[in-house]
Amino acid sequence: MCGIVGYIGVKEKKEILLDGLQELEYRGYDSAGIAIIENSQLKHFKAVGKLENLREKTKNYSSSGFGVSIGHTRWATHGKPTELNAHPHLGEFSFVVHNGIIENYQELKEELESDGINFLSQTDTETIVHLFEKYYNKSKEPFISFTNTINRLQGAYALLLITEAEPDVIFFAKNGSPMLIGFNKDEIYFASSDTPIIGKATEVYYLEDGEYGYAKNGEVTLFNKNGEKGFVKKALTTNKAMAQKDGFRFFMEKEIYEQSQVINDTMIGRVLDKEIDFEELNSDFFNGISNIKICACGTSYHSALAGSYLLERVAKIPCQVEIASEFRYKEPLLQKNTLFITISQSGETADTLEALKMAKRAGLRSLSVCNVDNSSIVRESDRAILTRAGIEKGVASTKAFATQTMVLWLLTLYIAQIKKTISKEELDSELKAIRKTPKALIVTDKLHDKIHRLSKRYLHGHGFFFIGRDLFFPLALEGALKLKEISYLHAEGYPAGEMKHGPIALADSELFTIALMPKSLHYEKIKSNVEELSARDATILAISPEPFELSDDFIQTHYKSHPMLEFFEMMVITQLLALEISIRLGNDVDMPRNLAKSVTVE
Ligand code: AGP
């Protein structure tokens, strides 16, 4: 996710902005920039890569006197990480920084280009500053022009705009992406989260969706759709470490809670009214493709497996999934009519990257599903679809897995549209389910408290089986991996139907079975598998929308209309279970022993 900072006052602004952006590095970025207006002079600097590059560019500059200033770290969603695509984006006399995705930017861009505006960047953000200036050039009213501009925006945004037309004001607007305002006497700060202003501001106001306004002369004037409104400042925390985690105990916990929001970002511009679209793809890309091979490691391998069930069932295209470290040395038979998909959060996993190179040497077309633009795997692939999960700090992957799975669900429907293997009614039903996904990912206090309480019973035993069928087998694998990697307890994911072919020999009261029992997919089958285990005194935690009397613990889920909604809801439960068990064991949830966030070696 991008990071935003802003400041109005008499202090030196460059350092305030750069230090503030430094505090937002944890959000992940690939370029950065600042813009300052003082004494009616516009100054701006941008740099690709880390903030040191921007510090280097600005080392001979320092501001003085009263002025307004904005800064930004960019996590690429539209357009590669380049200086031209870095924020702030410049019009003729104004600058804007933006976090989020403007869904209707193409339409706005076409309108502005037809007015003769030349765009410098590939970003959606640049439309904002040109639209503002278009309105200003007509009305000569800055705030009315700003209001007219944000009224045209659809999608998620947190934005700051400064302009020579009113050089002592910062205009702001918030909808869907986070932003707050900090206060200290007559100084005013803006930031995406509170870490950049801790130690600088003493009070804070967290903007609500739909709020906008301007900061001037040490005052903030706030509006929403009903007009001007008051607001209550609150004391700002002084604990930076806690603040970076937004008050959560671990980044992993924060990232589990973020899934509902980031999955929205994954969907923006792709889930349209009546169809799925990918601006990264077109139907020609699939010409001559008759089967798909997906290659990945770890959690990404699990999302690949889940995607393969969808691709075969809905897009009717044969799909094989490979573990990259195996694929590299098995002397695979590769055919040119195969689309080779790699899945990777980091985009730097050595085994996956080498597997991709092997496929390319064999002449296969390649597509990557990745969370880091401009990463090695993205650069090596013919096409790339970004998951837009934002930086994932926790070594144990959560939101990356959720967004990868969502991208594969969307890709399945996209291919099904092209191959005409899905009816309009079926597609409408899938779109309806997709739109419910953010809600299915919400973590309620009630659920988290229940999992916290029951986790105390699972701190020993001689191991865990996570069992599921069909789509829920990959989820069982993922649930087992989550538990293993942060609790260090042994856990295996297993196809429920396979238990009787050996593993059931382990069944006794010390064997913990986490049973994924969706109502919408083979319920009776999974139920009988779990009954077999219960009859042998295994300790069972059943996760299902249907009460299951034979379990020792039971977590009731809500969704039962669509397998993928059940999948995402159960995914959150398995993530929280691993988290709570690990916390009880006193482990470092974010940095588990022996693990790295990105395995860039064999
Ligand atoms: C996930 O919890 C693990 N940290 C690990 O399995 C990870 O998924 C794997 O190393 C692949 O990483 P990638 O997605 O960055 O390629």
Side-chain angles (χ1 to χ4, degrees):
M1 287 167 287
C2 306
I4 288 178
V5 292
Y7 170 73
I8 303 187
V10 295
K11 282 183 181 156
E12 202 289 310
K13 297 158 196 62
K14 176 189 78 171
E15 291 307 326
I16 289 176
L17 296 176
L18 293 177
D19 291 347
L21 293 176
Q22 197 95 34
E23 293 295 340
L24 296 173
E25 281 197 306
Y26 70 88
R27 300 165 72 86
Y29 67 104
D30 39 53
S31 57
I34 60 174
I36 294 167
I37 300 179
E38 58 185 15
N39 312 320
S40 297
Q41 291 295 312
L42 264 178
K43 284 296 282 181
H44 76 288
F45 304 87
K46 298 183 183 184
V48 175
K50 292 304 173 197
L51 276 174
E52 293 73 41
N53 303 343
L54 188 57
R55 283 192 188 281
E56 179 59 28
K57 276 200 166 184
T58 58
K59 66 185 177 186
N60 299 323
Y61 167 77
S62 72
S63 68
S64 63
F66 175 83
V68 296
S69 59
I70 56 178
H72 186 267
T73 47
R74 180 174 182 252
W75 176 274
T77 53
H78 289 82
K80 295 290 179 200
T82 61
E83 214 167 292
L84 277 181
N85 286 337
H87 303 205
H89 283 292
L90 171 65
E92 295 296 321
F93 48 86
S94 316
F95 278 107
V96 70
V97 292
H98 162 235
N99 177 17
I101 293 175
I102 304 301
E103 282 186 63
N104 62 327
Y105 86 94
Q106 294 281 21
E107 159 204 329
L108 297 173
K109 186 168 180 175
E110 283 158 20
E111 175 190 318
L112 293 159
E113 285 176 330
S114 66
D115 294 342
I117 300 288
N118 292 317
F119 278 74
L120 296 177
S121 79
Q122 305 161 302
T123 68
D124 53 337
T125 303
E126 194 181 348
T127 55
I128 300 169
V129 70
H130 293 312
L131 197 56
F132 167 77
E133 293 188 350
K134 172 178 178 177
Y135 284 122
Y136 178 76
N137 289 336
K138 281 185 191 146
S139 69
K140 300 301 179 198
E141 288 287 342
F143 185 57
I144 290 171
S145 305
F146 181 71
T147 305
N148 291 340
T149 300
I150 56 174
N151 288 340
R152 294 285 305 277
L153 305 182
Q154 294 166 19
Y157 53 81
L159 61 94
L160 299 177
L161 185 141
I162 57 177
T163 175
E164 279 184 317
E166 200 160 4
D168 57 351
V169 170
I170 293 184
F171 297 101
F172 62 87
K174 186 256 191 253
N175 192 51
S177 297
M179 188 154 70
L180 52 84
I181 307 176
F183 302 85
N184 185 356
K185 301 189 184 72
D186 56 358
E187 290 179 321
I188 292 173
Y189 297 83
F190 292 88
S192 301
S193 66
D194 34 26
T195 39
I197 63 169
I198 290 174
K200 298 186 175 76
T202 53
E203 293 180 295
V204 65
Y205 174 68
Y206 295 92
L207 286 163
E208 301 285 338
D209 283 351
E211 291 184 337
Y212 64 97
Y214 56 88
K216 180 174 184 172
N217 300 332
E219 297 291 324
V220 164
T221 307
L222 189 66
F223 299 81
N224 64 14
K225 66 181 186 320
N226 302 321
E228 187 171 347
K229 66 170 296 229
F231 60 95
V232 177
K233 303 172 190 173
K234 55 189 274 194
L236 177 64
T237 174
T238 54
N239 177 341
K240 247 185 207 178
M242 198 63 163
Q244 267 215 350
K245 296 173 194 148
D246 281 346
F248 291 101
R249 293 164 291 179
F250 294 99
F251 279 111
M252 181 184 171
E253 185 178 32
K254 173 172 171 279
E255 287 152 9
I256 291 171
Y257 277 74
E258 275 179 348
Q259 291 181 130
S260 180
Q261 169 58 44
V262 297
I263 211 85
N264 262 316
D265 294 346
T266 306
M267 291 155 55
I268 284 182
R270 295 167 175 165
V271 181
L272 307 183
D273 191 29
K274 294 286 179 205
E275 61 176 359
I276 299 297
D277 188 36
F278 281 101
E279 64 172 359
E280 302 89 339
L281 302 174
N282 55 39
S283 55
D284 297 353
F285 183 67
F286 300 91
N287 287 350
I289 295 294
S290 60
N291 68 90
I292 290 176
K293 193 179 281 291
I294 313 180
C295 196
C297 301
T299 286
S300 298
Y301 168 71
H302 299 151
S303 65
L305 268 182
S308 69
Y309 282 88
L310 298 171
L311 283 161
E312 293 213 337
R313 179 172 287 140
V314 181
K316 310 290 184 222
I317 188 162
C319 180
Q320 205 186 0
V321 185
E322 306 262 7
I323 288 176
S325 56
E326 285 297 299
F327 177 81
R328 286 181 65 187
Y329 301 102
K330 63 182 275 192
E331 296 164 38
L333 299 178
L334 299 174
Q335 297 159 325
K336 287 202 171 44
N337 60 354
T338 300
L339 173 62
F340 195 81
I341 299 179
T342 48
I343 299 182
S344 176
Q345 189 286 129
S346 62
E348 301 300 342
T349 300
D351 283 324
T352 310
L353 178 58
E354 289 311 313
L356 171 58
K357 288 177 180 172
M358 277 173 63
K360 290 196 68 174
R361 284 194 295 272
L364 274 63
R365 208 168 305 168
S366 60
L367 168 66
S368 63
V369 176
C370 187
N371 197 37
V372 181
D373 198 2
N374 219 31
S375 58
S376 303
I377 287 174
V378 165
R379 287 199 308 272
E380 191 66 32
S381 301
D382 294 323
R383 301 292 178 88
I385 298 174
L386 296 181
T387 47
R388 302 176 186 164
I391 192 167
E392 188 174 66
K393 298 274 289 180
V395 166
S397 185
T398 51
K399 61 179 185 173
F401 175 71
T403 54
Q404 287 166 355
T405 307
M406 174 53 80
V407 165
L408 288 167
W409 187 8
L410 301 182
L411 183 63
T412 296
L413 298 175
Y414 184 76
I415 295 171
Q417 287 167 186
I418 293 167
K419 291 166 51 62
K420 301 190 182 349
T421 59
I422 190 168
S423 70
K424 186 186 168 311
E425 294 69 30
E426 287 163 340
L427 182 57
D428 285 348
S429 158
E430 292 293 302
L431 290 169
K432 198 164 158 235
I434 286 168
R435 292 189 184 103
K436 288 179 183 171
T437 305
K439 197 156 180 291
L441 287 166
I442 288 173
V443 182
T444 62
D445 290 344
K446 182 167 175 261
L447 173 68
H448 201 158
D449 292 345
K450 178 174 178 78
I451 293 172
H452 167 70
R453 284 197 314 278
L454 69 80
S455 64
K456 59 178 168 293
R457 298 185 202 150
Y458 295 96
L459 305 181
H460 53 286
H462 58 58
F464 292 75
F465 272 105
F466 285 70
I467 63 171
R469 277 184 173 266
D470 201 293
L471 271 167
F472 294 79
F473 165 47
L475 186 56
L477 291 173
E478 175 57 13
L481 176 62
K482 279 300 81 64
L483 183 63
K484 269 191 283 239
E485 63 179 336
I486 62 175
S487 73
Y488 318 145
L489 297 174
H490 181 69
E492 266 187 86
Y494 231 84
E498 269 295 287
M499 291 302 285
K500 54 187 173 296
H501 298 285
I504 203 164
L506 290 173
D508 61 26
S509 60
E510 287 298 291
L511 176 77
F512 298 139
T513 299
I514 315 298
L516 306 177
M517 303 174 70
K519 185 65 182 163
S520 59
L521 207 55
H522 317 309
Y523 178 73
E524 293 308 323
K525 292 285 182 198
I526 183 77
K527 184 166 175 277
S528 60
N529 296 147
V530 184
E531 284 164 348
E532 288 158 15
L533 281 158
S534 170
R536 291 160 178 81
D537 204 28
T539 299
I540 293 163
L541 163 56
I543 303 173
S544 179
E546 287 293 308
F548 182 68
E549 296 311 317
L550 298 176
S551 59
D552 303 274
D553 276 314
F554 176 68
I555 296 177
Q556 181 144 26
T557 49
H558 304 89
Y559 290 86
K560 46 189 168 186
S561 59
H562 193 289
M564 287 310 291
L565 292 176
E566 293 203 80
F567 180 101
F568 282 113
E569 187 178 11
M570 292 187 186
M571 174 195 75
V572 171
I573 292 168
T574 58
Q575 292 167 343
L576 292 172
L577 181 65
L579 173 81
E580 288 301 327
I581 289 173
S582 173
I583 291 172
R584 282 185 181 276
L585 293 171
N587 294 351
D588 180 345
V589 169
D590 286 334
M591 293 290 290
R593 68 186 185 197
N594 312 333
L595 296 182
K597 183 59 188 168
S598 177
V599 184
T600 55
V601 293
E602 274 211 50

